[in-house]
Amino acid sequence: MSDKVLVEVSARHVHVSEADLETLFGKGYKLTPKKELSQPGQYAAEEKVTVVGPRGEIKMSILGPTRKSTQVEVSYTDARTLGVQAPLRESGDTIKSAPVKLVGPEGEIELAEGVIVAKRHIHMLPTDAEKFGVTNGQIVGVKIETDGRSIVFGDTVVRVRDDFALAMHIDTDEANAAGISGTAQGEIIA
Amino acid sequence: MSDKVLVEVSARHVHVSEADLETLFGKGYKLTPKKELSQPGQYAAEEKVTVVGPRGEIKMSILGPTRKSTQVEVSYTDARTLGVQAPLRESGDTIKSAPVKLVGPEGEIELAEGVIVAKRHIHMLPTDAEKFGVTNGQIVGVKIETDGRSIVFGDTVVRVRDDFALAMHIDTDEANAAGISGTAQGEIIA
C-alpha cells in the first residue's frame, strides 16, 4: 500500500432516487452505466438532467446506482451560475439544503432541497484507516504538491467503509486552486 | 501592524494599454474610476470589455490606470469558459500566454497573447517584508482558517514595492476552495 492518497476531481453531478428517475425518464426506467468510478459499484451513467436554478441552468451527468434521495453536488462556481445558496455538506446530508428544478426527457421535479457543495473527503477501507492512523469522521489535512499551486486542504473528512476504495474527492474549484487537471497524489497530515 | 495578512479575492479583469484603450473606446478616451482598490492608485473602472474566446465570451471590468501592455487575468474556470489555455503566471509576464479577442464599443483587438491565470501573491511594503522576515520574490505558504474549508496556499509569491499595500490576492477558484466570500485573514508560514 502506498503512503500517498489518490486525489480525484469530482465534477458537478446528480444522484437520483428510483422514484425521481422514473419521473424524469419514464416508468420502469433504468440507468445505463457508461464509466466505472473509483468507488466499487459506482458509475457515471449515460443519462443527463438539466438542473435549473433561478439564475441559470446546467446539464449534469447522473451518477448511479440510484440512491435513497436525490442530491445535486455542485461547486460554489456552479451554485453561482444556477443562482442557488448551496451549503457545504457531506454527501447525504441534504436537509434544508438548496432547492432547484430538475428537467428530464419525460418529466420535471421541483426539488425542495438537495443541492449541496460537497465537503472534501477521503474514502477509505478500515485497513487504510489503520495504516494512516485515522478513524471514520476524523478531520485531517491533505498536502498536494503541484507545479505552481501546491496546497494543503484542511477540513478534509475521513470516511471509512468496507465498500470504499482509497481516494480523496475534491470539486472543480478545489482542483483549479491546486492546479490539478486529471488526478494527483496527496499526503495525509495531522 | 497586525500579524495577519488581509486576503482579497481578485475576480477576472482586464488591464489595458493606452493604445488599446483608444482602439476599444475611441481616440483620446480616458478610464472612469469607479472604486478604489487596496493597492494605492489602482481602481476598478466603469468601463467593461467583452473577452471573446474560441468557446465562449465573458464581459470583464477594466482595472486602471492604463499599463504598458494589455493583460487579461482569469481563473481556470473562466479560461475553460472562454476555451483558452491560460498559463499560470505573475502579473506582467504575458509572453506567449493565451491569445483572445477584446471587443469594446468603438473597436476590437485580436490580442496575440495576454491571457493568464495569476499566481497567488502578497503585495507588501519593505517594512512589512522586514517584519515578516521575507524578501521580494520569496515563495511562502499562507494559512487561512475558514468555516469548513480551511486551507494553506503554498506557492505564494511575495512582492515587495514602495507603492504597495499589504494584501494577498487570490482568484475566485481559490476563494471558493477556501470557502471565502468577501475577504479573509491569512497567516504567512514558512
Side-chain angles (χ1 to χ4, degrees):
Chain A
M1 217 178 334
S2 154
D3 270 18
K4 296 278 185 171
V5 174
L6 171 72
V7 181
E8 297 179 315
V9 183
S10 184
R12 54 191 176 231
H13 62 269
V14 179
H15 298 285
V16 290
S17 67
E18 201 73 43
D20 287 349
L21 178 64
E22 294 201 341
T23 305
L24 295 165
F25 289 85
K27 187 118 188 82
Y29 196 87
K30 298 289 172 204
L31 289 172
T32 317
K34 179 169 137 191
K35 191 187 160 213
E36 278 195 12
L37 302 176
S38 65
Q39 298 309 304
Q42 304 293 305
Y43 58 86
E46 294 282 0
E47 289 76 12
K48 288 172 189 286
V49 287
T50 303
V51 178
V52 183
R55 187 171 163 190
E57 57 181 65
I58 307 177
K59 206 165 203 178
M60 298 188 201
S61 288
I62 296 178
L63 299 194
T66 53
R67 294 202 177 179
K68 224 179 79 186
S69 14
T70 295
Q71 172 177 310
V72 181
E73 289 180 50
V74 299
S75 68
Y76 281 120
T77 298
D78 299 327
R80 197 187 178 99
T81 301
L82 295 170
V84 300
Q85 294 284 329
L88 185 67
R89 296 282 182 84
E90 285 188 61
S91 183
D93 178 14
T94 55
I95 292 175
K96 294 196 176 168
S97 60
V100 86
K101 185 162 86 170
L102 302 183
V103 180
E106 295 293 325
E108 300 183 1
I109 293 166
E110 288 285 355
L111 216 58
E113 60 189 26
V115 188
I116 63 166
V117 174
K119 273 196 184 177
R120 43 197 175 231
H121 56 275
I122 310 173
H123 297 272
M124 60 173 77
L125 288 163
T127 48
D128 297 317
E130 197 177 349
K131 187 200 146 217
F132 288 114
V134 296
T135 55
N136 185 48
Q138 190 174 333
I139 305 298
V140 298
V142 177
K143 185 176 183 174
I144 303 171
E145 299 282 348
T146 63
D147 184 19
R149 281 198 160 183
S150 295
I151 213 161
V152 179
F153 284 120
D155 289 329
T156 304
V157 185
V158 172
R159 295 171 60 193
V160 183
R161 232 165 66 184
D162 278 332
D163 61 343
F164 279 165
L166 183 61
M168 176 173 181
H169 285 167
I170 58 175
D171 72 14
T172 42
D173 287 339
E174 294 170 320
N176 287 336
I180 297 168
S181 56
T183 59
Q185 295 290 321
E187 180 192 349
I188 297 178
I189 58 175
Chain B
M1 223 181 326
S2 154
D3 270 18
K4 296 276 186 172
V5 174
L6 170 72
V7 180
E8 297 179 313
V9 183
S10 183
R12 54 190 175 232
H13 62 268
V14 179
H15 297 285
V16 289
S17 67
E18 200 74 42
D20 286 350
L21 177 64
E22 293 201 341
T23 304
L24 294 165
F25 289 87
K27 186 116 189 82
Y29 196 88
K30 298 289 170 205
L31 289 171
T32 317
K34 180 170 136 190
K35 191 188 159 213
E36 277 193 14
L37 302 177
S38 66
Q39 298 310 307
Q42 304 293 306
Y43 58 86
E46 295 282 358
E47 289 77 11
K48 288 172 190 287
V49 286
T50 303
V51 178
V52 183
R55 187 172 163 189
E57 56 181 66
I58 307 176
K59 205 165 203 177
M60 298 188 199
S61 289
I62 295 177
L63 299 195
T66 53
R67 292 201 179 180
K68 222 179 81 185
S69 14
T70 294
Q71 172 177 311
V72 181
E73 289 181 50
V74 298
S75 68
Y76 281 120
T77 299
D78 300 328
R80 196 186 178 99
T81 301
L82 295 170
V84 301
Q85 293 285 331
L88 186 66
R89 296 282 182 84
E90 285 189 63
S91 182
D93 177 14
T94 55
I95 292 174
K96 294 196 177 171
S97 60
V100 85
K101 185 162 87 170
L102 303 183
V103 180
E106 295 294 323
E108 300 183 2
I109 293 166
E110 288 286 353
L111 217 56
E113 60 188 27
V115 187
I116 64 166
V117 174
K119 274 198 185 177
R120 42 197 176 232
H121 56 274
I122 311 173
H123 297 271
M124 60 173 75
L125 287 163
T127 48
D128 297 317
E130 195 176 353
K131 187 199 146 216
F132 288 114
V134 296
T135 54
N136 186 47
Q138 189 173 335
I139 305 299
V140 298
V142 178
K143 185 176 185 175
I144 303 171
E145 300 281 347
T146 63
D147 184 18
R149 282 198 159 182
S150 294
I151 214 160
V152 179
F153 284 120
D155 290 329
T156 304
V157 184
V158 171
R159 295 172 59 193
V160 183
R161 231 165 67 183
D162 278 334
D163 60 343
F164 279 164
L166 183 61
M168 175 174 182
H169 286 167
I170 58 175
D171 72 14
T172 43
D173 287 338
E174 293 170 320
N176 288 335
I180 297 168
S181 57
T183 60
Q185 294 291 321
E187 180 193 350
I188 296 178
I189 59 176

